[in-house]
Amino acid sequence: MKNVVIIGSEGEIGTEVKRVYNHIQTICLDKNIEETVKVDGNRIYMNFDVTSKESIDRVASYLHNHSIAIDGIIYLAGINYMTNFYDVNYEDWVNTFDINAAGFLFCLKGWYDLFNQQISIVCIASQNGVVGHENRVSYGPSKAALIQLVKNLTVDFSRDQNKDIKINSISPTYVLIEKNKEYFETIEGKKLINRIPYKKLINPNDVTGVVKFLMSDESRAIRGQNIIVDYGYTIV
């Protein structure tokens, strides 16, 4: 594997993914990157909006002009408005599905011609795409759509006799990061932890470990699957 595209590269999990793939060329795409293009060693940083066809086309043009074939794609972009039936609005609903599901699909369509003969693709879904949860009225369905999309794409990609495209999703439970550490020390936060059979939160390393496995040849027969990383949250 030589060239990996990381979409949503500047978040907590993205930072860990970049560390894991520090030895190869990574194309880091994120809305929080200011520069249109910045090259730093074996990393190429680009400002990117997953809902923008112009952004998708700009990345395709750059990769094509620099003769970069894609060996792997890791989709980490996502948004969660934490709304329920009573306070969700149409704009937030549409934006959630655009970022969490449609953006992933149309990135793949926009870059399909740049896929190498063998490519691994991983996207981050959520436990909320597997089980119900309060205040996730748009987030949960969008992640469920992403999980189903991976299944449908696996069937579609199997028709391509010239490319071996492996695609899977990962559904984490609550991920403990610096930004939410204080919340999980509150009464409400502890209630969420108590729902988990092992009473533990995962960290970004738990997610990237699965990313690394699904991106490797060791998982070559795993296709269209959703790997749940949750200390048992979704089984009870």
Side-chain angles (χ1 to χ4, degrees):
M1 187 173 293
K2 297 179 180 179
N3 304 302
V4 172
V5 177
I6 306 171
I7 305 164
S9 61
E10 303 310 292
E12 296 281 350
I13 295 176
T15 298
E16 286 300 311
V17 169
K18 286 187 292 186
R19 181 186 61 77
V20 168
Y21 292 105
N22 190 50
H23 60 293
I24 64 174
Q25 180 164 261
T26 52
I27 298 90
C28 304
L29 310 177
D30 198 286
K31 65 180 181 179
N32 294 312
I33 296 171
E34 294 183 0
E35 296 86 356
T36 303
V37 178
K38 182 181 76 172
V39 179
D40 182 9
N42 60 359
R43 289 181 184 163
I44 302 167
Y45 291 92
M46 301 179 70
N47 177 267
F48 185 71
D49 177 1
V50 298
T51 67
S52 165
K53 185 177 184 300
E54 186 277 331
S55 272
I56 294 171
D57 290 346
R58 178 165 48 83
V59 171
S61 178
Y62 181 90
L63 297 180
H64 176 76
N65 291 338
H66 290 79
S67 300
I68 299 173
I70 301 175
D71 299 300
I73 296 175
I74 303 169
Y75 191 85
L76 308 173
I79 193 166
N80 178 11
Y81 289 108
M82 296 186 67
T83 52
N84 57 48
F85 169 78
Y86 300 100
D87 54 20
V88 68
N89 60 62
Y90 185 78
E91 182 181 354
D92 288 351
W93 172 273
V94 171
N95 199 40
T96 300
F97 274 81
D98 280 349
I99 293 173
N100 293 357
F104 176 60
L105 172 63
F106 289 101
C107 282
L108 300 186
K109 280 186 68 69
W111 305 334
Y112 186 79
D113 290 341
L114 292 159
F115 287 6
N116 218 331
Q117 288 184 319
Q118 185 175 18
I119 179 173
S120 296
I121 303 169
V122 173
C123 63
I124 301 299
S126 171
Q127 65 180 10
N128 299 137
V130 180
V131 295
H133 197 292
E134 68 272 15
N135 297 322
R136 303 290 192 280
V137 73
S138 55
Y139 181 75
S142 72
K143 291 298 188 177
L146 186 61
I147 293 167
Q148 184 62 41
L149 179 61
V150 164
K151 298 178 187 300
N152 288 358
L153 290 177
T154 294
V155 175
D156 288 347
F157 289 155
S158 69
R159 297 167 56 188
D160 190 336
Q161 301 299 311
N162 298 314
K163 297 181 189 294
D164 180 20
I165 305 171
K166 178 180 63 176
I167 181 169
N168 294 286
S169 63
I170 301 171
S171 285
T173 185
Y174 312 108
V175 182
L176 183 63
I177 58 177
E178 199 60 38
K179 290 180 181 179
N180 62 24
K181 185 177 180 181
E182 288 187 7
Y183 172 76
F184 282 110
E185 294 173 352
T186 67
I187 293 175
E188 290 302 315
K190 289 178 180 178
K191 285 182 181 179
L192 294 182
I193 295 174
N194 284 331
R195 293 184 183 182
I196 304 171
Y198 283 83
K199 306 297 186 289
K200 294 180 180 180
L201 298 172
I202 66 172
N203 59 52
N205 286 334
D206 294 314
V207 180
T208 54
V210 182
V211 169
K212 186 177 180 181
F213 169 67
L214 290 177
M215 293 289 285
S216 73
D217 288 339
E218 293 178 0
S219 60
R220 61 183 174 274
I222 299 177
R223 307 288 172 116
Q225 299 302 311
N226 179 48
I227 308 300
I228 302 173
V229 186
D230 68 348
Y231 277 115
Y233 178 91
T234 58
I235 66 171
V236 297

